[in-house]
Amino acid sequence: RAADTIRLAVQKTGTFSWELATIRANGLDKEANLSLAVTELASTEAGKIAMRAGNADIMLSDWLWVSRERSLGAKLTFYPYSSALGAVMVPASSPIKTLADLRGRKLAVAGGPIDKSWLLLQARMKQDGIDLKSDATIVYGAPPLLAAKALDGEMDASLNFWNFCAQLEAKGFRRLAGIEDILPKLGAKGPVSAVGYVFDETWAAGHRDAVARFIAMTRKAKQLLVTSDAAWEKVAPLTGTTDAAMLKTYRDRYRDGIPRRSIDDEEADARVLYRVLAEVGGRDLVGPAPELDPGTFYHAVPGD
Amino acid sequence: MQLEVDITGKTFRSAAGETHDVLAPVRFSLGAGEVGVLVGPSGCGKSTMLRIILGLDHDFQGEVTRPPNARIGMVFQEPRLLPWRSVEQNVRLVAPEIDDAKLAELFRILELEAHRSHYPGELSLGLARRVALARAFAVEPDLLVLDEPLASLDDALAGRLREEIATLVASRPVMTLLVTHSLDDAVRLGDRLFFLSPRPARILAEVPIAIPRDARGEAEIAAIKAGLERRTQSERAGRDVS
Amino acid sequence: MQLEVDITGKTFRSAAGETHDVLAPVRFSLGAGEVGVLVGPSGCGKSTMLRIILGLDHDFQGEVTRPPNARIGMVFQEPRLLPWRSVEQNVRLVAPEIDDAKLAELFRILELEAHRSHYPGELSLGLARRVALARAFAVEPDLLVLDEPLASLDDALAGRLREEIATLVASRPVMTLLVTHSLDDAVRLGDRLFFLSPRPARILAEVPIAIPRDARGEAEIAAIKAGLERRTQSERAGRDVS
Amino acid sequence: MLRLLSFALFLAIWWIAALFVGGAKLPSPPAVLQVMIGEAESGALFLHLGATLARVALAFVLAMSLGSAIGYLMGRVKFADRLGDPWLILLLNLPALVVIVLAYIWAGLTEAAAIAAIAINKLPTAVVTLREGTRALDRSLDEMATVFAMPRWRAFRHVVLPQLAPYIAAAARSGLSLVWKIVLVAELLGRPNGVGFEIGVAFQLFDTPRLLAYSLTFAAVVLVIETLLVQPFEARATRWRPRAA
Amino acid sequence: MLRLLSFALFLAIWWIAALFVGGAKLPSPPAVLQVMIGEAESGALFLHLGATLARVALAFVLAMSLGSAIGYLMGRVKFADRLGDPWLILLLNLPALVVIVLAYIWAGLTEAAAIAAIAINKLPTAVVTLREGTRALDRSLDEMATVFAMPRWRAFRHVVLPQLAPYIAAAARSGLSLVWKIVLVAELLGRPNGVGFEIGVAFQLFDTPRLLAYSLTFAAVVLVIETLLVQPFEARATRWRPRAA
Ligand SMILES: Nc1ncnc2c1ncn2[C@@H]1O[C@H](COP(=O)(O)OP(=O)(O)OP(=O)(O)O)[C@@H](O)[C@H]1O
Ligand SMILES: Nc1ncnc2c1ncn2[C@@H]1O[C@H](COP(=O)(O)OP(=O)(O)OP(=O)(O)O)[C@@H](O)[C@H]1O
Ligand SMILES: [Mg+2]
Ligand SMILES: [Mg+2]
């Protein structure tokens, strides 16, 4: 029987390409009887274009966007990939000790006003009566640029994607708070995977078995990356650094982010956080739906 | 082959919005081998008339019938050469079939041999005008239109070129229309002279010259010129009285 | 006030790479109130000489001394008007201080009243040349340089403008340099005539005219012209023999 | 009239295309209009448009004036041309992204850095166009101005400028469009407002109606400026040109 | 000679600046050169540069030829101008990002979509420049060509084209730079190779030496083409112009 072909859109500098490298190196794709057609792309948004243009079956995005698309008519669906979220980083010697100290400071926010981590942080601070948007000076910008600016000392604090935080950490920055750490206060019962594999519902229905094998295969790859440092050796060249400390941070953070909860637990927490996000981000962010769209999570994987 | 001109009027609207009547009704015809000469005050509408006759301006009242498929040779009032092509190229571009001997002959007559490879920007005005003449001759025209072709040339050269025009006209059945301010040129070259009024131009007088061109000696020419001058003077006097 | 010209040579290198000697040694001077006339065959180097004299071309051997701060009025061989400015603006731009009465007078003399608001593209060549004349007169020049100013004008108008030039020259101490192909113009306007050789131009003969300009009647003029014509003919004959 | 008709035709084609390929691939005009109205009512549209227009205006004026001056100089003075040419080619062919990133790195995530970066991106194209225009100047008119001792500024204004006008027009039109393309990148990478910022957000959400709403609003603004201001002015300025018979 | 000197000056300034602000803010020339050599040795440089150059060449030729033709038509025929103008302004002022995204969505993440999108971005600037050039054409030479019954093509080639040459030169130079700016966006958003792709990756990793290495390699290619091909050709083509005295 010929292998099923799955077309993937992957950001070259993203962690998905680490996973794929592991899969290839260990022949997991052949084992799962899948043929992976990978399109490497240079930016995050390119995956969405590939999907919309019909050039990819699976790409990475978050449930927030999937739900929004569903409410607008595109029947996409989501399966957890990583629970790693951004973090607020400050220089080691910074006088900022708690999130509340961010008041009156210059805070860099990567990914713009609709970034999940940023919205969650705002919601958390609101609980303490702090409106960060007006109480602090917010600087939006491209993640790599803001990371460089943080290193420069132009920012008092910065909220960036986890991989950039890892870089800062390796350069001696202090982790003021990870966004995953504030989730419980917002009502989540455990780590929530914001990022996941996204694919079309109808396509998935037609390739139910292939999808299941795909997910099983990625689980194996993740497991390898958790257990085997040899597997990490293969990934190291893709991270763009040769610095041992930074590599270690990358590895630890990646391992921390691997989703381990049941899909129903994930969905329940996502539902809670969605309400929080909808309140902060408004209609612009979530679209017309006040609740997480019921079909957002993909449930047809055996073993969940 | 016949050129029929029957213009009933031509008006320009200037950019400032005023209208100027430039041509009053003008009507004449010209046959093959004939040289018609237009003489009239500066700004009266001669060049405008030529543009209409050549089909460059369609915005007029009246009708012009050109012989169909007539090859046209034209010397504009300014040289209108292509600045980015050499003298030789300027000529060859409008007359691609011309053979080298013919071209060499033309350049010799017009004293342009030394300037073949020059660009128009490197010519004196007189030289540029001669190139324009060479271009018009090179096409071996059926209809030759010359707008003050001999201005800016010294008398000796102008005289020689006048001879050349006469030779050309004699050698082939060319219809020629010549605009000039020089009565001398008019009388030496023309078969019929049209004297035009100031703007709006109309034909004040049409004067045929009966003596064939090659039979006109200096004495005849002087006589005709004297006759014409007397005529215009009496006319002017007549106008002054009225 | 004196114009001293002492050019020892001028060579052009054409785009094709050839060199052309355009001026041989030429030396003359001109005082205030004097009219010098340059007469020479087409393409001999007259305009080039004028450009050197006016300081537009510095790439020559020799020396030219212009009176310092002399206001210059120039009629180029082509009108060189600004196509995007009206006739009136073209004049006013070079002579901003001119008063309205003076301007109106100029336009009346040159028969340009109807064309004040026209753009140069809407003028006949003769009209454009007249605008160029108006411009040169409007600056009330100390040094007036005219490169064939009366070409493309009808005889009657040319005659009237010749009178105007004479009047201007008489009314103020203007140095005038005139290039013309018309012996008639030369004799009627000039104080000293310079006859130039073909390229490279040198002065073949310098002919002063002793009779003051306003004393020259038709008879005197005819006599001078006849004398000049005899002279050039004998010279030509002499050259042919040698 | 014809312009309006042509515009209507554009809308019609768009609408029909949208009906054919579906709203997901191409939102229909009413969908986009609805977003526009929504954004306008909330005031966000004017805020962002205003911010962007201010940046565009500043960078455009800066780049056009400096670029024209340099281009004129390079067209006139051979030495300046030889000296400046390699720099010019380099600047022309430096990607917008690189210039913007470097500007932000050096001058901070500031308004000044953004505007400078945008201007630097546009500058060389203005230089190149004006240089060509200057090289094509008519020397005989220059000579006329010299002979008549026209003061420098008057000669420039009346003799040179009208000859450069079509080049300036070309540089301005294509330059405005370039500035607009680049301001979006600059806003995307490091500004907290502006149309580029909004387009970035819309892009992250893959919200095509919003993407189009903001893009088209700017185009509409330019269209209005062109129709009401630039073209009447241009018609007046080129009145002197002989019309086709 | 002067060009080389000027180029050396550029390197010197860069180097000194790099020494002053430090390698993190501005990598020094040797650092960038080293990356270039490394990428060249691995063959990646040629792969990506080749892919980008092919796209640039195709899109450029497409946009220039089509844009020039449309611009000429709009400059000549008033009706076409009136009709096309609103479209032109719209196209001019549509952000590159939007055009590229729409093209990819409609035509898939294909090479053809990328090239079409890039060409569409450049097209209107060529139209605008050529339209200005066409409007400024000398009618008296047209009349000459008509009177002498020059065949259409010959008249176009010898009478019209030389007058348009400076406009074409301006459109080509600034157009090439625009195409280059846009190809990067197109590669960033949906191509798996090319300089834009590499620059995107380098940006994500904030690898400034790599960013500069790729940017400057392209600029160097253009510089070489300009020096060896375009400028000698241009010098020949404008030989006729009277030089300054
Ligand atoms: N830029 C130039 N490059 C090369 N040769 C030139 C240049 N300008 C003029 N010449 C040559 O110099 C000679 C003299 O030109 P000039 O314009 O001075 O003649 P001219 O005496 O004014 O003639 P005309 O009576 O026809 O106006 C001509 O043979 C011309 O070809
Ligand atoms: N495009 C135009 N718009 C308005 N008026 C024009 C236009 N072209 C010519 N005229 C006017 O038409 C009249 C006649 O011009 P035309 O060129 O026919 O004169 P002409 O008889 O050839 O004069 P010249 O002997 O000076 O060459 C002039 O008064 C001129 O101002
Ligand atoms: Mg005329
Ligand atoms: Mg001359």
Side-chain angles (χ1 to χ4, degrees):
Chain A
R1 194 163 72 95
D4 292 293
T5 301
I6 295 182
R7 296 171 304 162
L8 303 173
V10 183
Q11 193 193 348
K12 192 184 177 190
T13 53
T15 53
F16 196 9
S17 61
W18 304 356
E19 213 171 282
L20 284 172
T22 312
I23 288 170
R24 287 250 165 81
N26 295 284
L28 298 180
D29 49 346
K30 293 214 182 60
E31 207 175 285
N33 196 26
L34 289 175
S35 152
L36 302 181
V38 177
T39 309
E40 282 196 325
L41 297 165
S43 67
T44 347
E45 269 65 44
K48 290 174 185 162
I49 299 178
M51 191 103 196
R52 181 73 57 99
N55 288 72
D57 300 322
I58 298 180
M59 56 123 186
L60 291 191
S61 189
D62 50 37
W63 44 252
L64 192 59
W65 184 68
V66 170
S67 170
R68 180 192 152 90
E69 285 291 295
R70 288 182 71 84
S71 68
L72 291 172
K75 292 302 172 203
L76 300 178
T77 180
F78 173 97
Y79 190 85
Y81 163 79
S82 165
S83 63
L85 279 170
V88 182
M89 306 293 295
V90 293
S93 58
S94 169
I96 302 174
K97 299 293 180 219
T98 69
L99 286 176
D101 295 341
L102 287 175
R103 250 184 308 190
R105 304 290 181 155
K106 196 167 176 185
L107 174 65
V109 175
I114 55 160
D115 179 63
K116 302 172 289 292
S117 298
W118 167 231
L119 291 166
L120 290 169
L121 178 66
Q122 283 182 78
R124 171 70 195 80
M125 300 307 286
K126 272 221 177 90
Q127 291 178 334
D128 296 352
I130 299 171
D131 182 7
L132 268 189
K133 234 179 178 168
S134 52
D135 291 347
T137 310
I138 306 302
V139 180
Y140 295 121
L145 189 60
L146 290 184
K149 290 269 120 181
L151 281 174
D152 261 9
E154 203 177 306
M155 305 296 163
D156 295 324
S158 55
L159 171 59
N160 213 325
F161 298 167
W162 74 263
N163 51 324
F164 292 105
C165 291
Q167 274 176 34
L168 292 176
E169 214 172 339
K171 294 252 162 70
F173 272 58
R174 182 151 52 80
R175 210 177 153 85
L176 186 66
I179 299 300
E180 16 338 345
D181 306 335
I182 63 173
L183 294 185
K185 285 259 169 67
L186 293 171
K189 309 239 158 29
V192 180
S193 299
V195 179
Y197 306 104
V198 174
F199 39 88
D200 190 84
E201 213 170 63
T202 12
W203 175 81
H207 299 78
R208 182 177 288 265
D209 188 47
V211 173
R213 273 182 283 137
F214 175 80
I215 286 171
M217 172 185 75
T218 59
R219 276 206 197 114
K220 267 188 214 157
K222 286 194 172 93
Q223 200 51 42
L224 264 176
L225 285 169
V226 170
T227 52
S228 149
D229 283 346
W232 260 102
E233 306 278 288
K234 290 260 174 354
V235 165
L238 300 176
T239 58
T241 182
T242 46
D243 182 74
M246 206 180 301
L247 271 173
K248 186 174 174 306
T249 324
Y250 274 154
R251 189 190 65 188
D252 294 347
R253 291 275 163 256
Y254 176 81
R255 287 176 177 172
D256 290 348
I258 294 173
R260 297 193 166 80
R261 305 168 69 199
S262 82
I263 189 92
D264 292 319
D265 291 350
E266 291 264 12
E267 186 168 8
D269 276 349
R271 203 168 289 284
V272 173
L273 292 182
Y274 185 92
R275 270 186 229 114
V276 173
L277 290 170
E279 195 177 321
V280 184
R283 199 188 144 91
D284 275 356
L285 176 67
V286 296
E291 291 284 331
L292 185 77
D293 194 275
T296 301
F297 277 74
Y298 184 69
H299 285 281
V301 176
D304 277 331
Chain B
M1 259 193 4
Q2 180 99 352
L3 175 73
E4 306 273 2
V5 178
D6 183 5
I7 300 170
T8 54
K10 161 79 195 173
T11 308
F12 273 117
R13 171 172 288 280
S14 78
E18 304 151 20
T19 55
H20 285 247
D21 288 331
V22 175
L23 296 181
V26 171
R27 182 172 190 164
F28 65 91
S29 66
L30 204 68
E34 256 190 323
V35 178
V37 181
L38 298 170
V39 182
S42 165
C44 75
K46 303 179 294 297
S47 300
T48 305
M49 203 188 297
L50 294 186
R51 292 182 66 248
I52 290 175
I53 291 173
L54 291 172
L56 293 175
D57 189 343
H58 300 283
D59 178 24
F60 68 100
Q61 285 89 55
E63 212 174 334
V64 170
T65 323
R66 276 187 308 278
N69 301 322
R71 249 176 313 179
I72 299 175
M74 165 97 190
V75 175
F76 291 90
Q77 209 167 0
E78 335 79 59
R80 296 206 188 177
L81 305 175
L82 302 174
W84 37 84
R85 293 291 180 263
S86 70
V87 165
E88 181 168 346
Q89 284 171 324
N90 260 286
V91 175
R92 282 194 190 274
L93 276 173
V94 302
E97 299 102 22
I98 195 168
D99 61 42
D100 291 353
K102 180 96 202 293
L103 193 68
E105 168 75 2
L106 256 178
F107 282 158
R108 194 191 53 72
I109 293 169
L110 292 157
E111 299 177 11
L112 287 170
E113 289 119 322
H115 303 283
R116 269 187 180 236
S117 64
H118 278 175
Y119 288 105
E122 301 169 330
L123 301 177
S124 76
L125 184 58
L127 284 165
R129 288 181 162 286
R130 282 184 258 162
V131 177
L133 268 166
R135 184 172 62 180
F137 288 166
V139 298
E140 307 204 331
D142 304 315
L143 172 56
L144 182 62
V145 179
L146 307 168
D147 199 347
E148 292 201 64
L150 305 178
S152 289
L153 299 179
D154 54 291
D155 290 345
L157 185 64
R160 287 201 297 282
L161 292 185
R162 203 162 42 220
E163 295 306 311
E164 285 304 322
I165 297 175
T167 311
L168 178 82
V169 171
S171 68
R172 295 179 46 243
V174 184
M175 285 177 289
T176 307
L177 209 48
L178 170 72
V179 169
T180 183
H181 287 302
S182 151
L183 206 57
D184 198 53
D185 286 351
V187 172
R188 282 171 198 272
L189 282 175
D191 294 312
R192 269 150 66 212
L193 316 189
F194 303 96
F195 289 91
L196 302 176
S197 73
R199 177 169 65 87
R202 61 194 169 82
I203 298 179
L204 283 179
E206 178 178 338
V207 182
I209 298 185
I211 312 166
R213 207 166 2 257
D214 41 12
R216 290 175 210 162
E218 289 301 322
E220 283 89 350
I221 287 168
I224 299 171
K225 267 167 77 173
L228 284 172
E229 258 154 28
R230 232 176 301 123
R231 187 170 173 161
T232 43
Q233 257 151 32
S234 71
E235 244 167 44
R236 215 172 278 165
R239 251 192 294 157
D240 288 352
V241 169
S242 67
Chain C
M1 257 193 5
Q2 179 99 353
L3 176 73
E4 305 271 2
V5 178
D6 182 6
I7 299 169
T8 55
K10 162 77 193 172
T11 308
F12 272 119
R13 172 171 286 281
S14 79
E18 306 150 20
T19 56
H20 285 249
D21 288 331
V22 176
L23 296 180
V26 170
R27 181 173 192 162
F28 66 90
S29 65
L30 203 68
E34 257 189 324
V35 178
V37 181
L38 298 170
V39 182
S42 164
C44 75
K46 303 177 295 295
S47 300
T48 304
M49 204 188 297
L50 294 187
R51 292 183 66 246
I52 290 174
I53 290 173
L54 291 173
L56 293 174
D57 188 344
H58 300 282
D59 178 25
F60 69 100
Q61 285 90 54
E63 212 173 334
V64 170
T65 323
R66 274 187 309 278
N69 301 323
R71 250 178 311 178
I72 300 175
M74 165 96 190
V75 175
F76 291 92
Q77 209 168 0
E78 334 79 58
R80 297 207 188 177
L81 305 175
L82 301 174
W84 37 83
R85 294 288 180 263
S86 70
V87 165
E88 180 168 347
Q89 285 171 321
N90 261 285
V91 175
R92 283 196 189 270
L93 277 173
V94 302
E97 298 103 22
I98 194 169
D99 61 42
D100 291 354
K102 180 96 201 293
L103 192 68
E105 167 75 3
L106 256 177
F107 282 159
R108 195 191 51 72
I109 294 169
L110 291 156
E111 299 177 11
L112 287 170
E113 289 120 322
H115 303 283
R116 269 185 181 236
S117 65
H118 278 174
Y119 289 104
E122 301 169 331
L123 300 178
S124 78
L125 184 59
L127 284 165
R129 287 181 164 287
R130 280 183 259 162
V131 178
L133 268 166
R135 184 171 61 180
F137 288 165
V139 298
E140 308 205 329
D142 304 314
L143 172 57
L144 181 63
V145 179
L146 307 168
D147 199 347
E148 291 200 66
L150 304 179
S152 289
L153 300 179
D154 55 290
D155 290 345
L157 186 62
R160 286 201 297 283
L161 293 185
R162 203 162 42 221
E163 295 307 310
E164 285 305 321
I165 297 175
T167 312
L168 179 82
V169 171
S171 67
R172 295 181 45 244
V174 184
M175 285 178 288
T176 307
L177 210 48
L178 170 73
V179 169
T180 182
H181 287 302
S182 152
L183 207 55
D184 198 53
D185 285 351
V187 172
R188 283 174 196 270
L189 281 175
D191 293 312
R192 270 152 64 214
L193 316 189
F194 303 96
F195 289 91
L196 301 177
S197 74
R199 178 170 64 87
R202 63 195 167 81
I203 298 178
L204 284 179
E206 178 178 338
V207 181
I209 299 184
I211 312 166
R213 209 171 357 259
D214 41 12
R216 289 174 211 163
E218 289 301 322
E220 284 88 350
I221 288 167
I224 301 171
K225 270 167 77 174
L228 284 172
E229 258 154 27
R230 234 175 301 123
R231 186 169 172 161
T232 43
Q233 258 152 30
S234 71
E235 244 167 44
R236 217 173 276 165
R239 250 191 297 157
D240 287 352
V241 168
S242 67
Chain D
M1 249 341 282
L2 211 53
R3 285 173 72 88
L4 270 180
L5 207 89
S6 166
F7 191 72
L9 190 72
F10 164 76
L11 279 184
I13 292 180
W14 174 11
W15 206 326
I16 292 169
L19 286 180
F20 263 86
V21 303
K25 291 207 161 186
L26 178 65
S28 68
V32 173
L33 190 69
Q34 199 184 323
V35 177
M36 266 189 212
I37 292 171
E39 295 288 302
E41 277 175 352
S42 79
L45 186 72
F46 302 110
L47 180 84
H48 292 299
L49 200 64
T52 298
L53 282 178
R55 283 180 199 125
V56 164
L58 257 165
F60 178 78
V61 169
L62 209 72
M64 267 309 280
S65 49
L66 209 63
S68 302
I70 296 175
Y72 181 67
L73 189 76
M74 284 177 76
R76 280 279 194 199
V77 185
K78 200 144 197 168
F79 179 76
D81 188 32
R82 288 264 180 75
L83 206 69
D85 195 59
W87 293 68
L88 184 65
I89 295 173
L90 212 90
L91 218 54
L92 265 177
N93 294 296
L94 222 49
L97 182 77
V98 174
V99 174
I100 293 168
V101 168
L102 289 180
Y104 277 145
I105 292 181
W106 296 339
L109 281 176
T110 58
E111 204 62 54
I115 289 169
I118 301 162
I120 287 173
N121 265 295
K122 194 250 168 297
L123 185 84
T125 72
V127 172
V128 154
T129 309
L130 266 289
R131 182 176 65 173
E132 286 301 333
T134 308
R135 283 177 180 164
L137 283 178
D138 186 348
R139 299 217 177 271
S140 70
L141 292 180
D142 272 354
E143 290 189 355
M144 186 279 288
T146 310
V147 161
F148 282 100
M150 277 173 90
R152 234 162 223 277
W153 168 241
R154 201 189 309 154
F156 182 74
R157 176 154 144 52
H158 296 283
V159 180
V160 174
L161 217 52
Q163 293 183 69
L164 293 181
Y167 291 89
I168 294 176
R173 286 230 173 77
S174 63
L176 183 63
S177 101
L178 182 64
V179 164
W180 161 235
K181 286 185 209 306
I182 292 166
V183 79
L184 296 190
V185 181
E187 289 176 346
L188 203 69
L189 292 181
R191 291 284 76 210
N193 54 24
V195 176
F197 176 79
E198 273 302 305
I199 284 186
V201 171
F203 187 38
Q204 279 180 37
L205 294 171
F206 225 76
D207 186 346
T208 28
R210 185 113 161 260
L211 214 62
L212 282 176
Y214 272 96
S215 311
L216 292 180
T217 309
F218 183 85
V221 170
V222 178
L223 196 66
V224 169
I225 296 178
E226 273 270 343
T227 313
L228 297 188
L229 267 144
V230 181
Q231 297 198 344
F233 173 78
E234 233 178 11
R236 253 196 80 82
T238 58
R239 242 175 357 149
W240 59 272
R241 280 196 189 150
R243 276 144 299 170
Chain E
M1 251 338 285
L2 209 54
R3 285 172 71 88
L4 269 181
L5 206 89
S6 166
F7 191 71
L9 190 72
F10 165 76
L11 279 183
I13 292 179
W14 174 11
W15 206 327
I16 292 170
L19 285 181
F20 263 85
V21 302
K25 290 205 162 190
L26 179 65
S28 68
V32 172
L33 191 70
Q34 200 184 324
V35 176
M36 266 189 210
I37 293 171
E39 294 286 303
E41 276 175 353
S42 78
L45 185 71
F46 302 111
L47 180 84
H48 292 299
L49 199 64
T52 298
L53 281 178
R55 284 180 199 125
V56 165
L58 258 165
F60 178 77
V61 169
L62 209 72
M64 268 309 280
S65 49
L66 208 64
S68 302
I70 296 175
Y72 182 65
L73 189 76
M74 284 177 75
R76 280 279 195 200
V77 185
K78 200 143 198 171
F79 179 76
D81 188 31
R82 289 263 182 77
L83 206 68
D85 194 59
W87 293 68
L88 184 64
I89 295 172
L90 213 91
L91 219 54
L92 266 177
N93 295 296
L94 222 49
L97 182 79
V98 173
V99 174
I100 292 168
V101 169
L102 289 181
Y104 277 145
I105 292 180
W106 295 340
L109 280 183
T110 57
E111 207 59 59
I115 289 169
I118 301 161
I120 287 173
N121 264 296
K122 194 248 167 299
L123 185 84
T125 72
V127 172
V128 154
T129 309
L130 265 290
R131 183 177 63 173
E132 286 301 333
T134 308
R135 284 177 180 163
L137 284 177
D138 185 348
R139 300 220 175 267
S140 71
L141 291 180
D142 272 354
E143 291 189 355
M144 187 279 290
T146 310
V147 161
F148 282 101
M150 279 173 89
R152 233 162 224 277
W153 167 244
R154 201 189 309 152
F156 182 74
R157 177 155 144 49
H158 297 282
V159 180
V160 174
L161 217 52
Q163 294 182 68
L164 294 181
Y167 292 89
I168 294 175
R173 286 228 173 78
S174 63
L176 182 64
S177 100
L178 182 64
V179 164
W180 162 237
K181 287 185 208 305
I182 292 166
V183 81
L184 296 189
V185 182
E187 289 175 348
L188 201 70
L189 292 182
R191 293 283 75 211
N193 54 24
V195 177
F197 177 80
E198 275 302 306
I199 285 185
V201 170
F203 179 55
Q204 290 293 331
L205 300 172
F206 220 75
D207 185 347
T208 26
R210 185 114 160 258
L211 212 63
L212 282 177
Y214 272 96
S215 311
L216 292 181
T217 309
F218 182 85
V221 170
V222 178
L223 196 66
V224 169
I225 295 179
E226 273 270 343
T227 313
L228 297 188
L229 267 144
V230 181
Q231 297 198 345
F233 173 79
E234 233 178 10
R236 253 197 80 81
T238 58
R239 245 180 350 154
W240 59 271
R241 281 198 189 147
R243 276 143 300 170

